[in-house]
Amino acid sequence: HCRVWRGEAMRCEASSSSSYSSSSSSSAPLPSVAYPSGSKPTRVASYCVGSSSPAKRARRSSEEGAVAKRPASQRRVLSSPPTLPTGFIRQTEAAQKTAWDNGGATNVLLAMEAHPADAQLQADACQALTFLASHTPEYKQRVCEAGGALAIVRALEAHGAVASVAMQGCGALAVLTMETTARAAVREAGGAGALLRAMRLHSATSRLQQLGCTAIASLAEMHVLPVEPLATAALAAMRAFPAEATLQAQGCRTLLHLATTPPRKRAVCDAGGASAVVLAMLAHGGEAQVQQWGCGALSALADGDQSCHSAVCSGNGSSTAGAGAGGGAGGGVHAILHAMAMHPAHVQVAQLGC
């Protein structure tokens, strides 16, 4: 479901493959659309020249001659289609509805089941499921009801070491976990384990780490998954890519939802969570999402035992994990006050900061 710029030239269907071949040398270059997963680019016929009668060709030649005689300022020049960037896909709700009306997730899942060893197909299928699940909560539920969550997890388990599969699989799970019912389906399918494994295997890929953090943050909202593996993955990503604001925001969000009980708060602090949140907030003072989730995480951790309270105030983590982490200059109190000063009109920052 790709829409490409088709220019202003006359479009028509080629009457046969031979007629198209005869005219291809004179037509403008055709753009290519390459999916992010790395699949073979698909050549898109933007326009073609069909057969015409001698009378039509003569009339067209006369018109072209008249245009050529006009002043340059009055000529309407038809530009050739621009080169589309790699991975350019314009998703619309109309295209999505058409996809559902023509089989939806069923055909995609049948292909995944029929070709489990084809890594490229699995990557493209995960991308297709992401497209089908976007825009509305209902579509996310329908993808999971059809078995999409389990199919994505199986793809990650079988081909998680393949970069394209890992990227598209994590992206699909990040989209599905935005909705509560679909989130439960992802957890039941083993999505957390698949995400953590992909994040370990591709620790140097910032985009994948961001998608992984987004997904595990949503799963952490269920308050049933163990703290240590999720906190470890989020903190590793935050430390590896300190300049990525979106990743830092999702990392803080993960830590917030993990810190629900005193033992869980202590586990987050022992892993160096307070220090990581403070550093993220001070590094991205202008990013409202980082400040919102950061204030929430620090507030939750400060409400724990005395060691957690001290870790937040000092910004140095815990005595076991954060002493050598570099800490946060000024500590958590300074980070919260700075966030409130930077975003005085942001309700969530004000509420969580207070």
Side-chain angles (χ1 to χ4, degrees), residues 224-295:
V224 294
L225 295 172
V227 176
E228 287 80 2
L230 270 67
T232 299
L235 290 169
M238 294 174 73
R239 290 164 182 158
F241 301 99
E244 297 291 337
T246 303
L247 186 154
Q248 296 295 316
Q250 294 303 319
C252 291
R253 177 175 164 237
T254 301
L255 299 178
L256 164 63
H257 293 309
L258 289 175
T260 54
T261 64
R264 293 168 74 89
K265 296 175 194 287
R266 179 63 182 271
V268 171
C269 286
D270 286 346
S275 172
V277 172
V278 170
L279 289 172
M281 294 177 68
L282 295 179
H284 301 280
E287 297 290 339
Q289 289 295 309
V290 177
Q291 303 306 310
Q292 174 186 336
W293 297 118
C295 284

Short mmCIF file of all heavy atoms in Angstrom, two decimals, residues 224-295:
data_model
loop_
_atom_site.label_atom_id
_atom_site.label_comp_id
_atom_site.label_asym_id
_atom_site.label_seq_id
_atom_site.Cartn_x
_atom_site.Cartn_y
_atom_site.Cartn_z
N VAL A 224 3.22 -6.91 36.19
CA VAL A 224 3.30 -8.34 36.49
C VAL A 224 4.65 -8.94 36.06
O VAL A 224 4.99 -10.04 36.50
CB VAL A 224 2.16 -9.11 35.81
CG1 VAL A 224 0.82 -8.71 36.41
CG2 VAL A 224 2.15 -8.90 34.31
N LEU A 225 5.39 -8.25 35.24
CA LEU A 225 6.66 -8.78 34.77
C LEU A 225 7.76 -8.49 35.78
O LEU A 225 7.70 -7.50 36.51
CB LEU A 225 7.02 -8.15 33.42
CG LEU A 225 6.06 -8.51 32.27
CD1 LEU A 225 6.40 -7.69 31.03
CD2 LEU A 225 6.14 -9.99 31.95
N PRO A 226 8.77 -9.34 35.85
CA PRO A 226 9.87 -9.12 36.80
C PRO A 226 10.63 -7.83 36.51
O PRO A 226 10.75 -7.41 35.35
CB PRO A 226 10.76 -10.36 36.60
CG PRO A 226 10.41 -10.87 35.24
CD PRO A 226 8.97 -10.56 35.04
N VAL A 227 11.14 -7.22 37.56
CA VAL A 227 11.78 -5.91 37.43
C VAL A 227 13.15 -5.99 36.77
O VAL A 227 13.45 -5.22 35.84
CB VAL A 227 11.92 -5.25 38.83
CG1 VAL A 227 12.66 -3.93 38.71
CG2 VAL A 227 10.56 -5.06 39.45
N GLU A 228 14.01 -6.89 37.26
CA GLU A 228 15.42 -6.86 36.89
C GLU A 228 15.68 -6.90 35.38
O GLU A 228 16.41 -6.05 34.86
CB GLU A 228 16.17 -7.98 37.60
CG GLU A 228 16.39 -7.76 39.08
CD GLU A 228 15.15 -8.10 39.91
OE1 GLU A 228 14.14 -8.54 39.30
OE2 GLU A 228 15.18 -7.92 41.13
N PRO A 229 15.11 -7.85 34.63
CA PRO A 229 15.45 -7.88 33.20
C PRO A 229 14.98 -6.67 32.43
O PRO A 229 15.69 -6.17 31.55
CB PRO A 229 14.76 -9.17 32.71
CG PRO A 229 13.73 -9.49 33.74
CD PRO A 229 14.26 -9.00 35.03
N LEU A 230 13.79 -6.16 32.76
CA LEU A 230 13.28 -4.99 32.05
C LEU A 230 14.07 -3.74 32.40
O LEU A 230 14.41 -2.93 31.53
CB LEU A 230 11.80 -4.78 32.35
CG LEU A 230 10.81 -5.49 31.41
CD1 LEU A 230 10.92 -7.01 31.57
CD2 LEU A 230 9.38 -5.04 31.68
N ALA A 231 14.38 -3.58 33.70
CA ALA A 231 15.16 -2.41 34.12
C ALA A 231 16.57 -2.46 33.53
O ALA A 231 17.10 -1.43 33.08
CB ALA A 231 15.23 -2.36 35.64
N THR A 232 17.15 -3.64 33.49
CA THR A 232 18.50 -3.79 32.93
C THR A 232 18.52 -3.40 31.46
O THR A 232 19.43 -2.69 31.00
CB THR A 232 18.99 -5.24 33.10
OG1 THR A 232 19.05 -5.56 34.49
CG2 THR A 232 20.37 -5.42 32.48
N ALA A 233 17.52 -3.85 30.70
CA ALA A 233 17.47 -3.53 29.27
C ALA A 233 17.27 -2.04 29.05
O ALA A 233 17.92 -1.42 28.18
CB ALA A 233 16.35 -4.33 28.61
N ALA A 234 16.34 -1.44 29.79
CA ALA A 234 16.07 -0.01 29.63
C ALA A 234 17.29 0.83 29.99
O ALA A 234 17.65 1.78 29.28
CB ALA A 234 14.88 0.39 30.48
N LEU A 235 17.95 0.49 31.09
CA LEU A 235 19.11 1.25 31.53
C LEU A 235 20.29 1.09 30.57
O LEU A 235 21.03 2.05 30.32
CB LEU A 235 19.51 0.83 32.94
CG LEU A 235 18.52 1.26 34.03
CD1 LEU A 235 18.86 0.58 35.35
CD2 LEU A 235 18.53 2.78 34.19
N ALA A 236 20.47 -0.10 30.03
CA ALA A 236 21.54 -0.31 29.06
C ALA A 236 21.33 0.55 27.82
O ALA A 236 22.28 1.15 27.29
CB ALA A 236 21.60 -1.79 28.67
N ALA A 237 20.08 0.64 27.36
CA ALA A 237 19.79 1.48 26.20
C ALA A 237 19.99 2.95 26.52
O ALA A 237 20.54 3.71 25.70
CB ALA A 237 18.34 1.22 25.75
N MET A 238 19.56 3.39 27.69
CA MET A 238 19.71 4.80 28.07
C MET A 238 21.18 5.18 28.17
O MET A 238 21.57 6.28 27.76
CB MET A 238 19.01 5.05 29.40
CG MET A 238 17.49 4.90 29.34
SD MET A 238 16.68 5.05 30.96
CE MET A 238 16.83 6.82 31.26
N ARG A 239 22.00 4.31 28.70
CA ARG A 239 23.42 4.60 28.84
C ARG A 239 24.14 4.55 27.50
O ARG A 239 25.12 5.28 27.29
CB ARG A 239 24.05 3.62 29.83
CG ARG A 239 23.59 3.85 31.27
CD ARG A 239 23.90 2.66 32.16
NE ARG A 239 23.41 2.88 33.53
CZ ARG A 239 23.16 1.92 34.40
NH1 ARG A 239 23.36 0.64 34.05
NH2 ARG A 239 22.73 2.21 35.61
N ALA A 240 23.67 3.71 26.60
CA ALA A 240 24.33 3.58 25.29
C ALA A 240 24.03 4.75 24.38
O ALA A 240 24.86 5.13 23.54
CB ALA A 240 23.91 2.27 24.64
N PHE A 241 22.82 5.35 24.52
CA PHE A 241 22.41 6.42 23.62
C PHE A 241 21.86 7.60 24.42
O PHE A 241 20.67 7.90 24.37
CB PHE A 241 21.36 5.90 22.64
CG PHE A 241 21.82 4.74 21.80
CD1 PHE A 241 21.47 3.45 22.16
CD2 PHE A 241 22.63 4.93 20.70
CE1 PHE A 241 21.90 2.36 21.41
CE2 PHE A 241 23.07 3.87 19.95
CZ PHE A 241 22.72 2.57 20.30
N PRO A 242 22.73 8.30 25.14
CA PRO A 242 22.27 9.40 25.99
C PRO A 242 21.71 10.58 25.22
O PRO A 242 20.96 11.38 25.78
CB PRO A 242 23.54 9.80 26.75
CG PRO A 242 24.67 9.37 25.87
CD PRO A 242 24.20 8.10 25.24
N ALA A 243 22.04 10.71 23.94
CA ALA A 243 21.57 11.86 23.16
C ALA A 243 20.22 11.64 22.51
O ALA A 243 19.65 12.56 21.93
CB ALA A 243 22.60 12.21 22.07
N GLU A 244 19.69 10.42 22.59
CA GLU A 244 18.40 10.11 21.95
C GLU A 244 17.26 10.43 22.92
O GLU A 244 16.97 9.67 23.84
CB GLU A 244 18.35 8.63 21.55
CG GLU A 244 19.38 8.24 20.50
CD GLU A 244 19.09 8.86 19.15
OE1 GLU A 244 17.92 9.21 18.89
OE2 GLU A 244 20.02 9.00 18.35
N ALA A 245 16.60 11.55 22.69
CA ALA A 245 15.58 12.03 23.63
C ALA A 245 14.39 11.08 23.73
O ALA A 245 13.90 10.80 24.83
CB ALA A 245 15.10 13.42 23.21
N THR A 246 13.92 10.58 22.60
CA THR A 246 12.75 9.68 22.63
C THR A 246 13.07 8.41 23.38
O THR A 246 12.26 7.91 24.18
CB THR A 246 12.29 9.36 21.20
OG1 THR A 246 11.99 10.57 20.51
CG2 THR A 246 11.05 8.47 21.23
N LEU A 247 14.26 7.88 23.16
CA LEU A 247 14.68 6.67 23.88
C LEU A 247 14.77 6.96 25.38
O LEU A 247 14.33 6.14 26.20
CB LEU A 247 16.02 6.19 23.33
CG LEU A 247 16.57 4.86 23.84
CD1 LEU A 247 17.48 4.23 22.80
CD2 LEU A 247 17.32 5.02 25.15
N GLN A 248 15.33 8.10 25.75
CA GLN A 248 15.44 8.45 27.16
C GLN A 248 14.06 8.57 27.81
O GLN A 248 13.85 8.13 28.94
CB GLN A 248 16.21 9.76 27.31
CG GLN A 248 17.66 9.71 26.85
CD GLN A 248 18.51 8.77 27.68
OE1 GLN A 248 18.44 8.74 28.91
NE2 GLN A 248 19.34 7.98 27.02
N ALA A 249 13.11 9.15 27.08
CA ALA A 249 11.76 9.29 27.61
C ALA A 249 11.13 7.92 27.86
O ALA A 249 10.52 7.69 28.91
CB ALA A 249 10.90 10.11 26.65
N GLN A 250 11.29 7.02 26.91
CA GLN A 250 10.71 5.68 27.07
C GLN A 250 11.43 4.87 28.14
O GLN A 250 10.81 4.05 28.83
CB GLN A 250 10.73 4.94 25.74
CG GLN A 250 9.83 5.55 24.67
CD GLN A 250 8.39 5.65 25.12
OE1 GLN A 250 7.84 4.75 25.75
NE2 GLN A 250 7.75 6.77 24.78
N GLY A 251 12.72 5.12 28.30
CA GLY A 251 13.45 4.47 29.39
C GLY A 251 12.94 4.93 30.74
O GLY A 251 12.72 4.12 31.65
N CYS A 252 12.74 6.24 30.90
CA CYS A 252 12.18 6.77 32.15
C CYS A 252 10.77 6.24 32.38
O CYS A 252 10.39 5.92 33.52
CB CYS A 252 12.14 8.31 32.10
SG CYS A 252 13.77 9.10 32.14
N ARG A 253 10.01 6.12 31.31
CA ARG A 253 8.65 5.58 31.42
C ARG A 253 8.69 4.13 31.90
O ARG A 253 7.87 3.71 32.73
CB ARG A 253 7.96 5.69 30.06
CG ARG A 253 6.56 5.09 30.01
CD ARG A 253 5.90 5.35 28.68
NE ARG A 253 4.75 4.48 28.48
CZ ARG A 253 4.58 3.64 27.48
NH1 ARG A 253 5.51 3.55 26.54
NH2 ARG A 253 3.51 2.89 27.39
N THR A 254 9.63 3.36 31.39
CA THR A 254 9.77 1.97 31.84
C THR A 254 10.05 1.91 33.32
O THR A 254 9.42 1.13 34.06
CB THR A 254 10.91 1.28 31.06
OG1 THR A 254 10.63 1.31 29.66
CG2 THR A 254 11.06 -0.17 31.51
N LEU A 255 11.00 2.72 33.79
CA LEU A 255 11.38 2.70 35.20
C LEU A 255 10.22 3.15 36.09
O LEU A 255 10.03 2.63 37.19
CB LEU A 255 12.60 3.58 35.42
CG LEU A 255 13.86 3.16 34.64
CD1 LEU A 255 15.00 4.14 34.90
CD2 LEU A 255 14.28 1.74 35.00
N LEU A 256 9.44 4.12 35.62
CA LEU A 256 8.27 4.57 36.38
C LEU A 256 7.30 3.42 36.61
O LEU A 256 6.84 3.20 37.73
CB LEU A 256 7.58 5.71 35.62
CG LEU A 256 6.15 6.05 36.07
CD1 LEU A 256 6.12 6.53 37.51
CD2 LEU A 256 5.54 7.09 35.13
N HIS A 257 6.97 2.68 35.55
CA HIS A 257 5.98 1.63 35.68
C HIS A 257 6.52 0.39 36.39
O HIS A 257 5.73 -0.45 36.85
CB HIS A 257 5.45 1.25 34.29
CG HIS A 257 4.65 2.35 33.66
ND1 HIS A 257 3.61 2.99 34.30
CD2 HIS A 257 4.75 2.95 32.43
CE1 HIS A 257 3.10 3.91 33.51
NE2 HIS A 257 3.79 3.92 32.38
N LEU A 258 7.83 0.27 36.48
CA LEU A 258 8.41 -0.84 37.24
C LEU A 258 8.41 -0.54 38.74
O LEU A 258 8.37 -1.47 39.56
CB LEU A 258 9.83 -1.12 36.77
CG LEU A 258 9.99 -1.75 35.38
CD1 LEU A 258 11.47 -1.86 35.02
CD2 LEU A 258 9.33 -3.13 35.32
N ALA A 259 8.48 0.72 39.11
CA ALA A 259 8.62 1.12 40.52
C ALA A 259 7.25 1.24 41.17
O ALA A 259 6.77 2.34 41.45
CB ALA A 259 9.38 2.44 40.61
N THR A 260 6.63 0.10 41.44
CA THR A 260 5.26 0.11 41.98
C THR A 260 5.17 -0.32 43.44
O THR A 260 4.24 0.07 44.14
CB THR A 260 4.36 -0.81 41.15
OG1 THR A 260 4.96 -2.13 41.08
CG2 THR A 260 4.20 -0.27 39.74
N THR A 261 6.11 -1.10 43.92
CA THR A 261 6.12 -1.56 45.31
C THR A 261 7.50 -1.32 45.90
O THR A 261 8.47 -1.16 45.14
CB THR A 261 5.78 -3.06 45.40
OG1 THR A 261 6.82 -3.82 44.75
CG2 THR A 261 4.44 -3.37 44.74
N PRO A 262 7.63 -1.27 47.23
CA PRO A 262 8.96 -1.02 47.83
C PRO A 262 10.05 -1.96 47.32
O PRO A 262 11.15 -1.47 46.98
CB PRO A 262 8.69 -1.20 49.33
CG PRO A 262 7.27 -0.78 49.49
CD PRO A 262 6.56 -1.26 48.26
N PRO A 263 9.82 -3.27 47.22
CA PRO A 263 10.89 -4.13 46.69
C PRO A 263 11.24 -3.81 45.24
O PRO A 263 12.42 -3.86 44.86
CB PRO A 263 10.30 -5.54 46.82
CG PRO A 263 9.26 -5.44 47.88
CD PRO A 263 8.68 -4.08 47.71
N ARG A 264 10.24 -3.48 44.44
CA ARG A 264 10.50 -3.17 43.04
C ARG A 264 11.22 -1.82 42.90
O ARG A 264 12.09 -1.64 42.04
CB ARG A 264 9.20 -3.18 42.24
CG ARG A 264 8.57 -4.57 42.13
CD ARG A 264 7.15 -4.52 41.59
NE ARG A 264 7.11 -4.23 40.16
CZ ARG A 264 7.16 -5.16 39.20
NH1 ARG A 264 7.29 -6.45 39.53
NH2 ARG A 264 7.09 -4.83 37.93
N LYS A 265 10.85 -0.86 43.74
CA LYS A 265 11.54 0.43 43.74
C LYS A 265 13.02 0.23 44.10
O LYS A 265 13.91 0.84 43.49
CB LYS A 265 10.89 1.38 44.75
CG LYS A 265 9.44 1.76 44.44
CD LYS A 265 8.86 2.60 45.57
CE LYS A 265 7.36 2.73 45.50
NZ LYS A 265 6.91 3.61 44.43
N ARG A 266 13.25 -0.59 45.10
CA ARG A 266 14.62 -0.85 45.54
C ARG A 266 15.43 -1.52 44.43
O ARG A 266 16.61 -1.18 44.22
CB ARG A 266 14.61 -1.74 46.79
CG ARG A 266 16.01 -2.09 47.32
CD ARG A 266 16.77 -0.84 47.76
NE ARG A 266 18.11 -1.14 48.21
CZ ARG A 266 18.42 -1.46 49.48
NH1 ARG A 266 17.47 -1.52 50.40
NH2 ARG A 266 19.65 -1.71 49.81
N ALA A 267 14.80 -2.43 43.69
CA ALA A 267 15.50 -3.11 42.60
C ALA A 267 15.88 -2.11 41.51
O ALA A 267 16.99 -2.18 40.94
CB ALA A 267 14.62 -4.21 42.02
N VAL A 268 15.00 -1.17 41.21
CA VAL A 268 15.31 -0.16 40.20
C VAL A 268 16.46 0.73 40.67
O VAL A 268 17.38 1.04 39.90
CB VAL A 268 14.06 0.69 39.88
CG1 VAL A 268 14.43 1.87 38.99
CG2 VAL A 268 12.99 -0.16 39.21
N CYS A 269 16.41 1.15 41.91
CA CYS A 269 17.49 1.99 42.45
C CYS A 269 18.81 1.25 42.49
O CYS A 269 19.87 1.82 42.17
CB CYS A 269 17.11 2.48 43.84
SG CYS A 269 15.85 3.77 43.85
N ASP A 270 18.77 -0.03 42.87
CA ASP A 270 20.00 -0.81 42.93
C ASP A 270 20.63 -0.98 41.55
O ASP A 270 21.85 -1.15 41.44
CB ASP A 270 19.72 -2.19 43.54
CG ASP A 270 19.51 -2.13 45.04
OD1 ASP A 270 19.84 -1.09 45.64
OD2 ASP A 270 19.00 -3.11 45.61
N ALA A 271 19.81 -0.93 40.52
CA ALA A 271 20.34 -1.04 39.15
C ALA A 271 20.88 0.29 38.63
O ALA A 271 21.44 0.34 37.53
CB ALA A 271 19.24 -1.55 38.23
N GLY A 272 20.71 1.36 39.41
CA GLY A 272 21.18 2.68 38.99
C GLY A 272 20.11 3.50 38.29
O GLY A 272 20.42 4.45 37.55
N GLY A 273 18.84 3.17 38.55
CA GLY A 273 17.75 3.85 37.86
C GLY A 273 17.64 5.33 38.17
O GLY A 273 17.41 6.15 37.27
N ALA A 274 17.82 5.72 39.44
CA ALA A 274 17.69 7.12 39.81
C ALA A 274 18.72 7.98 39.09
O ALA A 274 18.42 9.06 38.56
CB ALA A 274 17.83 7.28 41.32
N SER A 275 19.95 7.50 39.05
CA SER A 275 21.02 8.24 38.37
C SER A 275 20.73 8.40 36.89
O SER A 275 20.91 9.48 36.32
CB SER A 275 22.35 7.50 38.57
OG SER A 275 23.36 8.07 37.77
N ALA A 276 20.25 7.33 36.25
CA ALA A 276 19.98 7.38 34.81
C ALA A 276 18.86 8.38 34.50
O ALA A 276 18.93 9.11 33.50
CB ALA A 276 19.60 5.99 34.30
N VAL A 277 17.84 8.42 35.34
CA VAL A 277 16.73 9.35 35.12
C VAL A 277 17.20 10.80 35.27
O VAL A 277 16.86 11.67 34.47
CB VAL A 277 15.57 9.06 36.09
CG1 VAL A 277 14.50 10.13 35.99
CG2 VAL A 277 14.97 7.69 35.80
N VAL A 278 17.99 11.07 36.30
CA VAL A 278 18.49 12.43 36.52
C VAL A 278 19.34 12.89 35.34
O VAL A 278 19.19 14.01 34.84
CB VAL A 278 19.29 12.50 37.84
CG1 VAL A 278 20.01 13.83 37.95
CG2 VAL A 278 18.38 12.29 39.03
N LEU A 279 20.22 12.02 34.88
CA LEU A 279 21.07 12.38 33.74
C LEU A 279 20.23 12.65 32.50
O LEU A 279 20.51 13.59 31.74
CB LEU A 279 22.06 11.24 33.47
CG LEU A 279 23.18 11.06 34.49
CD1 LEU A 279 23.97 9.80 34.21
CD2 LEU A 279 24.11 12.27 34.50
N ALA A 280 19.20 11.86 32.28
CA ALA A 280 18.34 12.06 31.11
C ALA A 280 17.62 13.40 31.19
O ALA A 280 17.52 14.14 30.20
CB ALA A 280 17.33 10.93 31.01
N MET A 281 17.11 13.73 32.37
CA MET A 281 16.37 14.98 32.54
C MET A 281 17.26 16.20 32.35
O MET A 281 16.88 17.18 31.71
CB MET A 281 15.71 15.01 33.92
CG MET A 281 14.61 13.97 34.10
SD MET A 281 13.91 13.98 35.77
CE MET A 281 13.07 15.57 35.79
N LEU A 282 18.46 16.16 32.89
CA LEU A 282 19.36 17.29 32.77
C LEU A 282 19.92 17.43 31.35
O LEU A 282 20.22 18.54 30.91
CB LEU A 282 20.51 17.15 33.77
CG LEU A 282 20.11 17.20 35.25
CD1 LEU A 282 21.33 17.02 36.14
CD2 LEU A 282 19.40 18.51 35.57
N ALA A 283 20.03 16.31 30.64
CA ALA A 283 20.55 16.36 29.27
C ALA A 283 19.50 16.81 28.26
O ALA A 283 19.84 17.31 27.19
CB ALA A 283 21.09 14.99 28.87
N HIS A 284 18.22 16.66 28.61
CA HIS A 284 17.14 16.97 27.66
C HIS A 284 16.10 17.86 28.34
O HIS A 284 14.91 17.55 28.36
CB HIS A 284 16.50 15.68 27.16
CG HIS A 284 17.45 14.76 26.47
ND1 HIS A 284 17.85 14.94 25.16
CD2 HIS A 284 18.11 13.65 26.92
CE1 HIS A 284 18.70 13.98 24.82
NE2 HIS A 284 18.88 13.19 25.86
N GLY A 285 16.57 18.97 28.87
CA GLY A 285 15.68 19.87 29.60
C GLY A 285 14.54 20.42 28.79
O GLY A 285 13.47 20.72 29.32
N GLY A 286 14.73 20.55 27.48
CA GLY A 286 13.68 21.10 26.64
C GLY A 286 12.69 20.09 26.13
O GLY A 286 11.71 20.46 25.48
N GLU A 287 12.91 18.82 26.41
CA GLU A 287 12.02 17.76 25.92
C GLU A 287 10.97 17.44 26.98
O GLU A 287 11.26 16.85 28.02
CB GLU A 287 12.82 16.50 25.58
CG GLU A 287 13.83 16.68 24.46
CD GLU A 287 13.15 16.85 23.12
OE1 GLU A 287 11.96 16.43 22.98
OE2 GLU A 287 13.78 17.39 22.20
N ALA A 288 9.73 17.81 26.69
CA ALA A 288 8.66 17.66 27.67
C ALA A 288 8.42 16.20 28.05
O ALA A 288 8.14 15.90 29.22
CB ALA A 288 7.37 18.27 27.14
N GLN A 289 8.52 15.30 27.08
CA GLN A 289 8.27 13.88 27.38
C GLN A 289 9.32 13.32 28.34
O GLN A 289 8.99 12.56 29.25
CB GLN A 289 8.25 13.07 26.09
CG GLN A 289 7.03 13.32 25.22
CD GLN A 289 5.74 12.88 25.89
OE1 GLN A 289 5.62 11.75 26.37
NE2 GLN A 289 4.76 13.77 25.95
N VAL A 290 10.57 13.70 28.13
CA VAL A 290 11.62 13.25 29.05
C VAL A 290 11.36 13.78 30.45
O VAL A 290 11.49 13.06 31.44
CB VAL A 290 13.01 13.70 28.54
CG1 VAL A 290 14.09 13.29 29.54
CG2 VAL A 290 13.31 13.10 27.17
N GLN A 291 10.98 15.05 30.54
CA GLN A 291 10.73 15.65 31.85
C GLN A 291 9.50 15.04 32.53
O GLN A 291 9.49 14.80 33.74
CB GLN A 291 10.54 17.17 31.70
CG GLN A 291 11.71 17.87 31.02
CD GLN A 291 13.05 17.58 31.70
OE1 GLN A 291 13.19 17.70 32.93
NE2 GLN A 291 14.03 17.17 30.92
N GLN A 292 8.47 14.78 31.76
CA GLN A 292 7.26 14.19 32.33
C GLN A 292 7.52 12.82 32.92
O GLN A 292 7.23 12.56 34.10
CB GLN A 292 6.17 14.07 31.26
CG GLN A 292 4.92 13.34 31.72
CD GLN A 292 3.93 13.11 30.59
OE1 GLN A 292 3.93 13.84 29.61
NE2 GLN A 292 3.10 12.10 30.73
N TRP A 293 8.08 11.92 32.10
CA TRP A 293 8.34 10.57 32.59
C TRP A 293 9.46 10.55 33.62
O TRP A 293 9.44 9.72 34.54
CB TRP A 293 8.66 9.64 31.43
CG TRP A 293 7.55 9.48 30.45
CD1 TRP A 293 7.54 9.81 29.11
CD2 TRP A 293 6.24 8.96 30.71
NE1 TRP A 293 6.34 9.53 28.54
CE2 TRP A 293 5.51 9.00 29.49
CE3 TRP A 293 5.62 8.46 31.85
CZ2 TRP A 293 4.20 8.56 29.40
CZ3 TRP A 293 4.30 8.02 31.75
CH2 TRP A 293 3.60 8.07 30.54
N GLY A 294 10.42 11.47 33.48
CA GLY A 294 11.49 11.54 34.46
C GLY A 294 10.98 11.96 35.83
O GLY A 294 11.34 11.36 36.86
N CYS A 295 10.13 12.99 35.87
CA CYS A 295 9.54 13.42 37.15
C CYS A 295 8.71 12.30 37.75
O CYS A 295 8.75 12.07 38.97
CB CYS A 295 8.66 14.66 36.93
SG CYS A 295 9.58 16.20 36.69
#
